[in-house]
Amino acid sequence: RTKRQAISAEPTALDPSQLTHITLTNYSKSEESRELIQRALLENDFMKHLDHGQILTIVDCMHPTRVARGCCVIQEGDDGSLVYVLEEGKVEVTKAGTKLCTMDPGKVFGELAVLYNCTRTATVTALTDIKLWAIDRQGFQTIMMRTGLIKQSLYLELLRSVPSFQSLPEDVLSKVADVLEETHYSESEYIIRQGATGDTFFIISQGQVRVTRQKSTSEEPEFLTTLTRGEWFGEQALKGYDSSTANPLPCSRSFMHLTGGLDDVNSKPYESDDIKAKLEAESVFFSCLS
Ligand code: CMP
């Protein structure tokens, strides 16, 4: 673990099968402490992109610890196993004997060795008696991976709810679930504009989408259809088409998911060419997966 590895919100140092056996312990803390830890995590460049749920679980699981003035909290080059948030006092960060900075309450430190699976990149020394909150590597990585697994199972559930996806093998669905990204749109917000480059394929998880087409700029858009949960659009992205042929517009708050597509043949009044295009897109996309 001396070499830097690519940063990931979901570190893989733990075997996922271990996750069910690991019990996360919550430590009680005052509302002020909870807020301080949460703020510190959100201000830290490496932690601020975590899910809200992950941040709250880390807050729950951090345990209190104290270190006396003059003591070394972290030694450069050591294997690191704890991430800290400073609640009281002051610490100094040095590297190869050179001072890098001092830190006051509300700062995270010790995150790099745990996030990157590398050795400690600097030494951290208590300049005063200090109070810290800490979480260990196993707890931290369990939180990261559990959230990932929960997402994966929700996405699989969505994919299985799409009638045309039901006959697909589990391993293909699982690969699709891996590449899904959740996007939220507000009511009346455009998702795809007619004529724009299409590079995203969507499956609706929640809400409704209105599809319209405009024959010329002088005419009013023509209503084509409404799509709901489990239906999909944007399949031209899968074929490398340059432009979308219609304007899907969400009718209410929606969650869209990127994936490969299949035609929901039993449902919508697509013209036959559109259905054909969907089926072709489907076969291209799924042949890439398998
Ligand atoms: P880690 O490498 O786990 O342990 C030492 C910590 O010092 C490191 O995580 C960071 O939290 C912190 N650190 C390292 N380099 C710097 C820096 N240049 N400025 C501020 N903090 C640093």
Side-chain angles (χ1 to χ4, degrees):
R1 283 193 287 108
T2 51
K3 230 173 141 206
R4 274 202 165 201
Q5 294 174 350
I7 189 165
S8 162
E10 285 155 9
T12 51
L14 276 180
D15 174 356
S17 64
Q18 296 174 325
L19 289 173
T20 47
H21 308 300
I22 294 167
T23 315
L24 291 170
T25 311
N26 286 357
Y27 291 85
S28 70
K29 36 190 82 76
S30 69
E31 203 43 48
E32 290 75 31
S33 294
R34 295 185 65 81
E35 278 172 21
L36 174 125
I37 298 169
Q38 197 175 332
R39 261 203 316 278
L41 295 172
L42 289 172
E43 279 173 16
N44 181 277
D45 284 339
F46 300 93
M47 317 278 271
K48 63 185 175 195
H49 300 297
L50 299 179
D51 282 0
H52 188 58
Q54 287 175 318
I55 299 254
L56 292 183
T57 314
I58 294 171
V59 172
D60 286 339
C61 294
M62 289 195 110
H63 63 267
T65 179
R66 288 182 183 274
V67 175
R69 179 180 168 197
C71 291
C72 179
V73 188
I74 286 176
Q75 178 66 52
E76 184 181 351
D78 280 359
D79 279 343
S81 62
L82 291 166
V83 179
Y84 298 97
V85 171
L86 181 61
E87 172 152 294
E88 286 172 17
K90 204 178 188 77
V91 296
E92 183 180 67
V93 184
T94 56
K95 193 174 178 69
T98 305
K99 180 176 164 182
L100 294 175
C101 65
T102 57
M103 286 184 184
D104 294 313
K107 293 285 177 211
V108 172
F109 62 90
E111 77 286 24
L112 298 182
V114 172
L115 281 168
Y116 286 105
N117 283 325
C118 62
T119 52
R120 294 298 195 187
T121 59
T123 295
V124 181
T125 311
L127 292 179
T128 64
D129 289 349
I130 57 173
K131 182 180 175 196
L132 300 160
W133 293 98
I135 183 167
D136 66 16
R137 175 189 297 273
Q138 194 179 58
F140 184 79
Q141 294 190 344
T142 300
I143 293 165
M144 298 298 103
M145 290 178 73
R146 272 199 189 147
T147 311
L149 290 180
I150 289 165
K151 272 193 179 161
Q152 165 85 2
S153 83
L154 284 175
Y155 291 171
L156 268 176
E157 198 184 307
L158 169 70
L159 294 175
R160 287 196 199 103
S161 78
V162 180
S164 311
F165 282 45
Q166 278 158 9
S167 58
L168 286 173
E170 201 62 9
D171 62 323
V172 173
L173 284 183
S174 180
K175 282 181 188 170
V176 177
D178 280 345
V179 298
L180 291 179
E181 282 174 22
E182 192 172 298
T183 318
H184 297 201
Y185 292 88
S186 324
E187 188 167 350
S188 297
E189 189 179 345
Y190 279 97
I191 304 164
I192 296 173
R193 298 301 288 255
Q194 184 174 346
T197 303
D199 64 354
T200 307
F201 181 74
F202 297 89
I203 298 177
I204 303 169
S205 172
Q206 265 182 39
Q208 294 185 317
V209 168
R210 188 164 65 241
V211 185
T212 60
R213 177 152 47 197
Q214 215 168 4
K215 290 225 169 71
S216 72
T217 44
S218 56
E219 284 178 43
E220 280 296 298
E222 172 198 358
F223 171 80
L224 293 183
T225 189
T226 300
L227 305 174
T228 59
R229 178 181 161 86
E231 294 182 299
W232 50 271
F233 59 91
E235 68 281 1
Q236 296 199 359
L238 306 177
K239 299 177 72 184
Y241 279 12
D242 277 343
S243 64
S244 298
T245 52
N247 280 327
L249 179 69
C251 298
S252 66
R253 185 178 162 77
S254 302
F255 295 78
M256 306 301 163
H257 294 264
L258 162 72
T259 182
L262 284 174
D263 180 46
D264 195 352
V265 273
N266 55 8
S267 57
K268 297 295 156 186
Y270 278 106
E271 293 164 16
S272 60
D273 280 355
D274 291 338
I275 289 178
K276 193 160 161 266
K278 271 176 178 274
L279 289 169
E280 281 171 14
E282 161 205 327
S283 94
V284 168
F285 182 72
F286 285 98
S287 67
C288 294
L289 286 173
S290 46

